[in-house]
Amino acid sequence: MPHTEAAAPATATQRFRRHYGLLLEWVVMALMVTLALEVTLGVVFRAIGQSLVWYDEVASIMLAWLTFYGSALASVKRAHIGCPEVVDQLPASWRRWLGLLTQLLVIAFFALLGWVGLQIMPILAGDTLVSLPWVPVNVAQSVIPISSALIVVAEATHLVDLWLARPQAVSGAALADGLH
């Protein structure tokens, strides 16, 4: 579809977010393929009467990883739930400040979640998976601080864009993307 105006050049944060999103897409796709293969392998082995003892535990951990890393990808793409209709009712200056506040709250939440996730790691030291005793539980639980950090980075790029945006350029739909 042709445009009458030239598209504005991408900002540094938009370029970073695009590359960052592509990296996360590859991570999520790799997790999806691996989980699909693992589940298929588990079904085949169960069908031939040779159930894999580690199948259920690994599948549940991989599903958790997929969920957490998928959330980081959704954060980059602004694919979380928003309320643009409600935000549009606010004056333009309020929309901007509300967006900044909510971005800061989201960043603070995930920073806290990541910190708590790191605090739990030493407590879990020495614990292993039940079905695979050579795999530390910390490997499975590392998804919490890692994905929290990934989400903080994604949200910080949106915070920068919102901070640099002209107040009248902040629409309810764009801002509501940040209210997730």
Side-chain angles (χ1 to χ4, degrees), residues 85-126:
E85 297 81 12
V86 174
V87 176
D88 278 336
Q89 302 302 313
L90 298 172
S93 63
W94 286 33
R95 286 194 297 254
R96 181 168 189 260
W97 290 110
L98 178 64
L100 290 169
L101 174 66
T102 57
Q103 283 302 118
L104 289 171
L105 290 173
V106 168
I107 290 169
F109 172 79
F110 282 103
L112 176 64
L113 182 64
W115 180 77
V116 169
L118 283 174
Q119 297 303 307
I120 291 173
M121 298 303 255
I123 296 168
L124 298 174

Side-chain angles (χ1 to χ4, degrees), residues 125-149:
D127 290 347
T128 62
L129 299 183
V130 173
S131 61
L132 298 172
W134 52 271
V135 178
V137 171
N138 281 346
V139 170
Q141 297 302 320
S142 67
V143 71
I144 296 170
I146 293 171
S147 64
S148 294

Side-chain angles (χ1 to χ4, degrees), residues 29-45 52 54-55 58-59 62 66:
M29 284 189 290
L31 285 169
M32 288 176 66
V33 168
T34 304
L35 179 60
L37 291 173
E38 195 263 350
V39 168
T40 303
L41 191 64
V43 169
V44 168
F45 272 80
L52 303 170
W54 49 268
Y55 159 77
V58 172
M62 291 197 65
L66 183 59

